[in-house]
């Protein structure tokens, strides 16, 4: 899932935020305190739910012709104007949604020494800890993470799959199979909105790479000083986010240069376009920059699935989406090259995507 760094990375001391919360420090440790220009503005007017695209998946799958056309137009608008949407009636059993949430929460509630049996080594993105930390003075996120490679089987690291809580591995496997089917189906409908044949992405991706990451954000006494997760776009084709039932509102997306909070709809899944889909669509559908903020009294749990092409697949704008009016904006590369670039850089907005962009040769005289 990620390359092993060629030389040791010095990340300094990283406090476990759950342990920090228990200790109730009078001040937030300096490594978590953001510079003034990065601090979240918490008092933001919430957009009405009608502003945030909602896709009724059952209408795409089983709806009438009119239902399908209406929903397909809504999907195209969501991908083009927002880069993210919430999916209702997605077909994943509610009991499975509840089960994955339960085992994830139970894992984070284990004693620290138990969780530390599955450490995330510096410069890697599997295991328990903080990912994307590459220096001793880098600002840290107010978040504990646990991440695992799912598919193909060779990216799995069996040593990092926990024994406790019981049924953890079994639940993750069953849940991941269902989310994989949802990603495959969503990509078919997205392809059609682009005027492409439905199976184009499935045929192109090979044995798609899939990973899961669980994020736990404890309450923070000064949510105005910290970030739960630094602003970034995802390197995936699609990302599927499940927000914990009853969790605080923590996800924010950058829309028209404003941070917009995403109000979770019960049992819905949040989908966002990743960098890979932006490149394949030649920028017609763009990845969305997003971040997480914390809450003074409430914790938050999220379960995130990343779905992307096989590492050896060469990517670049699809010829059908390049013409005189829409010249090629991105170069060709393999997904493995991009993944290596992504996981060896700190999260910093959409900066990682510069790797794929064709640099303009125009110069001013």
């Amino acid at each position: 899932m990620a390359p092993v760094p060629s030389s040791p990375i010095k990340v300094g001391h990283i406090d476990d935020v759950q342990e920090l919360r228990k200790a109730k420090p009078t001040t937030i440790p300096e490594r978590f305190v953001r510079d003034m220009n990065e601090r979240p503005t918490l008092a933001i007017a919430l957009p009405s739910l009608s502003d945030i695209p909602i896709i009724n998946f059952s209408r795409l799958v089983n709806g009438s012709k009119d239902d399908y056309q209406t929903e397909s137009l809504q999907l195209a608008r969501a991908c083009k104007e927002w880069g993210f949407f919430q999916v209702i009636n997605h077909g994943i059993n509610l009991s499975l949604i509840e089960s994955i949430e339960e085992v994830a929460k139970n894992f984070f509630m284990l004693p620290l020494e138990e969780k530390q049996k599955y450490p995330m080594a510096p410069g890697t993105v599997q295991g328990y800890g903080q990912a994307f930390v590459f220096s001793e003075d880098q600002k840290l996120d107010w978040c504990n993470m646990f991440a695992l490679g799912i598919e193909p089987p060779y990216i799995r690291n069996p040593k990092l799959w926990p024994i406790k809580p019981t049924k953890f591995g079994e639940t993750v496997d069953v849940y991941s199979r269902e989310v994989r089917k949802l990603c495959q189906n969503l990509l078919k409908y997205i392809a059609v909105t682009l005027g492409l044949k439905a199976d184009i992405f499935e045929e192109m991706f090979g044995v798609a790479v899939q990973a899961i990451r669980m994020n736990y954000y404890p309450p923070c006494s000064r949510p105005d000083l910290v970030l739960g997760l630094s602003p970034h776009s995802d390197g995936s084709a699609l990302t599927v986010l499940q927000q914990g039932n009853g969790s605080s509102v923590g996800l924010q997306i950058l829309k028209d240069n404003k941070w917009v909070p995403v109000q979770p709809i019960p049992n819905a899944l949040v989908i966002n376009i990743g960098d890979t889909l932006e490149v394949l669509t030649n920028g017609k559908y763009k990845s969305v920059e997003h971040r997480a903020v914390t809450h003074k009294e409430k914790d938050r749990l999220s379960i995130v699935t990343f779905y992307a092409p096989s590492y050896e697949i060469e990517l670049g704008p699809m010829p059908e989406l390049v013409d005189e009016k829409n010249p090629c904006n991105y170069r060709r590369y393999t997904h493995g090259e991009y993944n290596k670039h992504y996981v060896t850089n700190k999260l910093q907005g959409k900066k990682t995507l510069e790797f794929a962009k064709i640099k303009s040769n125009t110069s001013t005289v």
Side-chain angles (χ1 to χ4, degrees):
M1 188 166 137
V4 176
S6 53
S7 58
I9 295 171
K10 294 181 179 178
V11 297
H13 175 71
I14 297 178
D15 285 302
D16 184 285
V17 287
Q18 285 174 260
E19 300 304 307
L20 267 181
R21 173 69 182 173
K22 287 178 193 170
K24 296 184 178 175
T26 51
T27 58
I28 302 295
E30 192 60 33
R31 281 196 78 182
F32 292 94
V33 177
R34 294 286 171 157
D35 296 336
M36 288 298 292
N37 64 330
E38 291 185 317
R39 293 179 189 177
T41 305
L42 301 177
I44 302 173
L46 296 176
S48 69
L49 276 179
S50 60
D51 290 338
I52 297 171
I54 298 167
I55 303 300
N56 187 336
F57 189 66
S58 64
R59 286 187 174 182
L60 289 171
V61 179
N62 298 315
S64 66
K65 190 176 178 182
D66 285 348
D67 283 345
Y68 174 84
Q69 287 185 327
T70 302
E71 220 59 35
S72 190
L73 285 171
Q74 173 79 332
L75 178 61
R77 185 181 76 86
C79 292
K80 190 171 185 179
E81 296 178 12
W82 287 79
F84 101 105
F85 47 92
Q86 298 200 61
V87 173
I88 59 173
N89 299 324
H90 42 67
I92 299 178
N93 198 296
L94 178 57
S95 64
L96 186 54
I97 296 282
E98 292 169 346
S99 294
I100 191 71
E101 187 179 321
E102 183 182 7
V103 295
K105 188 74 176 274
N106 288 346
F107 174 82
F108 285 113
M109 294 304 116
L110 290 171
L112 179 61
E113 57 269 24
E114 184 66 30
K115 293 181 285 190
Q116 286 179 331
K117 291 177 182 176
Y118 314 100
M120 184 183 291
T124 68
V125 289
Q126 287 201 60
Y128 176 77
Q130 281 221 18
F132 306 104
V133 181
F134 296 99
S135 69
E136 297 178 82
D137 57 358
Q138 184 180 326
K139 292 296 182 183
L140 299 174
D141 293 330
W142 192 266
C143 173
N144 284 336
M145 298 177 175
F146 185 56
L148 296 167
I150 303 292
E151 293 286 348
Y154 74 83
I155 71 167
R156 290 184 175 228
N157 184 341
K159 292 178 182 176
L160 295 177
W161 285 67
I163 299 165
K164 298 176 185 175
T166 56
K167 294 194 174 176
F168 181 94
E170 178 187 329
T171 306
V172 167
D173 275 335
V174 175
Y175 176 80
S176 296
R177 281 197 295 272
E178 292 301 308
V179 173
R180 192 175 184 85
K181 282 186 228 164
L182 177 64
C183 289
Q184 289 166 342
N185 285 323
L186 276 171
L187 283 169
K188 288 179 183 177
Y189 296 115
I190 288 171
V192 173
T193 67
L194 291 161
L196 305 168
K197 65 175 185 173
D199 292 332
I200 192 165
F201 293 120
E202 191 165 352
E203 290 171 3
M204 181 193 303
F205 281 18
V207 181
V209 172
Q210 184 177 345
I212 191 168
R213 191 178 75 219
M214 301 164 182
N215 304 311
Y216 181 73
Y217 307 90
C220 180
S221 59
R222 291 295 306 272
D224 56 316
L225 298 180
V226 307
L227 284 174
L229 192 58
S230 301
H232 65 287
S233 60
D234 295 333
S236 57
L238 285 183
T239 300
V240 179
L241 170 73
Q242 178 179 328
Q243 308 203 66
N245 192 22
S247 285
S248 61
V249 177
L251 174 64
Q252 296 184 341
I253 66 161
L254 193 62
K255 170 72 171 159
D256 302 326
N257 290 316
K258 292 191 179 84
W259 287 107
V260 178
V262 178
Q263 291 277 34
I265 298 172
N267 307 320
L269 295 171
V270 177
I271 313 292
N272 66 267
I273 302 293
D275 294 345
T276 296
L277 212 54
E278 174 168 336
V279 170
L280 289 171
T281 64
N282 199 32
K284 185 168 184 178
Y285 292 168
K286 288 184 168 59
S287 60
V288 62
E289 192 173 330
H290 51 286
R291 69 182 186 183
V293 298
T294 62
H295 193 276
K296 195 167 186 175
E297 290 148 4
K298 294 181 78 174
D299 62 357
R300 177 172 177 256
L301 174 73
S302 67
I303 299 156
V304 190
T305 298
F306 303 98
Y307 186 85
S310 184
Y311 289 136
E312 76 278 3
I313 301 300
E314 188 176 78
L315 301 173
M318 291 186 283
E320 299 92 334
L321 301 175
V322 176
D323 55 32
E324 283 185 20
K325 289 183 182 176
N326 302 284
C328 187
N329 293 315
Y330 308 88
R331 65 184 183 86
R332 299 194 72 77
Y333 56 88
T334 68
H335 180 60
E337 290 172 321
Y338 190 71
N339 181 70
K340 182 177 180 180
H341 177 71
Y342 189 93
V343 301
T344 53
N345 284 276
K346 69 177 185 177
L347 299 179
Q348 200 171 0
K350 289 187 68 169
K351 191 175 179 183
T352 316
L353 193 59
E354 295 300 317
F355 169 91
K357 286 184 178 173
I358 292 174
K359 305 294 185 287
S360 173
N361 291 322
T362 56
S363 57
T364 54
V365 178

